Each structure stands twice: as C-alpha cells, then as structure tokens.
Amino acid sequence: KELNQYLGRWGRQTKKILYIPNTCYDFLNNLDKNFNIINNSQNVMRMAYLGCMGIDRGSKFLIEFCRNNIGSVELLVAGNIRDQNDINEFENIPNITYLGQLNYIEALTLIKQVDALPILYNPMIKLHKMMYPTKFYESMMVGTPIIVSKGMLGLEDKVIRKNVGYVIDYNDIMQLKNALEKIKINKS
C-alpha cells in the first residue's frame, strides 16, 4: 500500500508492482590486495561511509559519535559530501579520514577491510523506508556487518533474518556503540 502511494506521486497507479532490488556484480575475487589504508589495531573499530553523505543519511550523528569516541572508533569516508561543513569537521576530528572519491574496486576493498558499514538513513523519509542501497549487497558480498536504522523496513527485516548486522534507532549513539561492541566480540 505504502509503495503504491509513493509511486502514485508520478501517476503510477497499479495493483501489481514488480520490485527489482538494486544489486551489484560479484567482484569479490577482484578486490585490490595492494589497496590497504587500514591500520589493523585490535583496539579500534573501523567503519566506512561510502556514497553521498548528508544529514538525512546520518552525517551529523556519525561525526558526533566519532568526536566522542576518539581512540576507540575510526570513520573512513569516501564519496560525495553534501555539506562543506562536514569536510571541515573531518579535518578537526582525528579519527575521521576523508578519502575523496574511490573507484569501485577500491570502495569494495575498503568495505572488506573495515569492521562495520553504517547505513543510517533517516527512516522518516519515505524513500529511505523502502530502499535497498547497493551498500547492503556489497557488504554481504565481502562479509562486512552493516548497521542500519530501525524503520528502513525492507532492509531492517533482511538484516535480522540473514544475521548480517544490527538494527539501531536512528541517531541513537548508545545503540551504535553497543552494535560495534557486539561486532568486536563476534570478531574475536
């Protein structure tokens, strides 16, 4: 019903909808073994944010989380940044590294090297409720746990059923910290 309402905005009224998720090619064997920007300290949990970072995709939340967890968490950011202030903040927070644009194989390699991939989109935005970002499929391909916002309905269900990560309340710093702790314990 909700998808019909969403599609109805463009005059697409129908009783039957075929939904084809946005997936990715399997490039697991093509990962760049020479692309290594991660210092594998056991004490630091590393997350990667890839794509177009913005406030509705958890940017302020992740920046604040990193600011409060220097020494135990690192965030590697690759892709487009909507807000120039975010880039300025990256320069002032020692545990956030902005990598700029990466090619696809480098991005997949980075996802493989980190401990978690946050997909913390604002679930109050209808599109975010229904989307399956390619990052979801890419993280499953390389075996990296994801952390998603509760309310991203389709994604939330798959993460729980397939046991490929954790679901947290959007903008809940304590739940993010707990999810990373669980990932750290499961890694050992």
Side-chain angles (χ1 to χ4, degrees), residues 19 22 26 37 48 66 79 83 90 95-96 131 155 157 182:
Y19 176 74
N22 189 15
D26 185 354
I37 59 167
C66 288
D83 187 345
F90 298 162
N95 55 338
I96 299 179
M131 70 186 317
L155 199 55
D157 179 58
K182 290 175 184 174

Side-chain angles (χ1 to χ4, degrees), residues 53-158:
M53 187 176 224
I55 193 164
D56 62 332
R57 294 181 175 199
S59 66
K60 301 297 182 208
F61 167 62
L62 288 169
I63 290 168
E64 187 63 27
F65 179 74
C66 288
R67 181 182 288 118
N68 294 330
N69 290 282
I70 294 172
S72 62
V73 171
E74 285 182 7
L75 178 64
L76 299 131
V77 180
N80 295 321
I81 308 299
R82 292 183 193 163
D83 187 345
Q84 181 62 38
N85 292 326
D86 287 348
I87 295 175
N88 296 339
E89 292 219 49
F90 298 162
E91 294 171 1
N92 295 318
I93 302 173
N95 55 338
I96 299 179
T97 303
Y98 179 54
L99 303 170
Q101 295 286 349
L102 300 178
N103 69 43
Y104 188 63
I105 297 299
E106 290 171 338
L108 286 176
T109 303
L110 177 62
I111 294 170
K112 173 97 174 125
Q113 292 176 1
V114 297
D115 300 301
L117 187 70
I119 305 176
L120 301 171
Y121 294 4
N122 182 346
M124 299 308 290
I125 297 173
K126 281 188 180 186
L127 178 62
H128 293 175
K129 281 184 178 188
M130 296 175 277
M131 70 186 317
Y132 292 89
T134 51
K135 288 177 273 206
F136 168 67
Y137 297 102
E138 292 161 348
S139 68
M140 286 196 312
M141 177 182 16
V142 301
T144 299
I146 60 173
I147 302 171
V148 301
S149 299
K150 190 178 289 182
M152 294 178 72
L153 303 175
L155 199 55
E156 177 182 341
D157 179 58
K158 288 205 182 322

Side-chain angles (χ1 to χ4, degrees), residues 6 12 18 20 121 151 171:
Y6 178 74
R12 305 273 195 260
L18 173 63
I20 302 172
Y121 294 4
N171 280 344

Side-chain angles (χ1 to χ4, degrees), residues 1-8 12 17-19 130:
K1 177 184 173 188
E2 198 167 321
L3 186 57
N4 252 343
Q5 289 173 340
Y6 178 74
L7 293 174
R12 305 273 195 260
I17 296 174
L18 173 63
Y19 176 74
M130 296 175 277

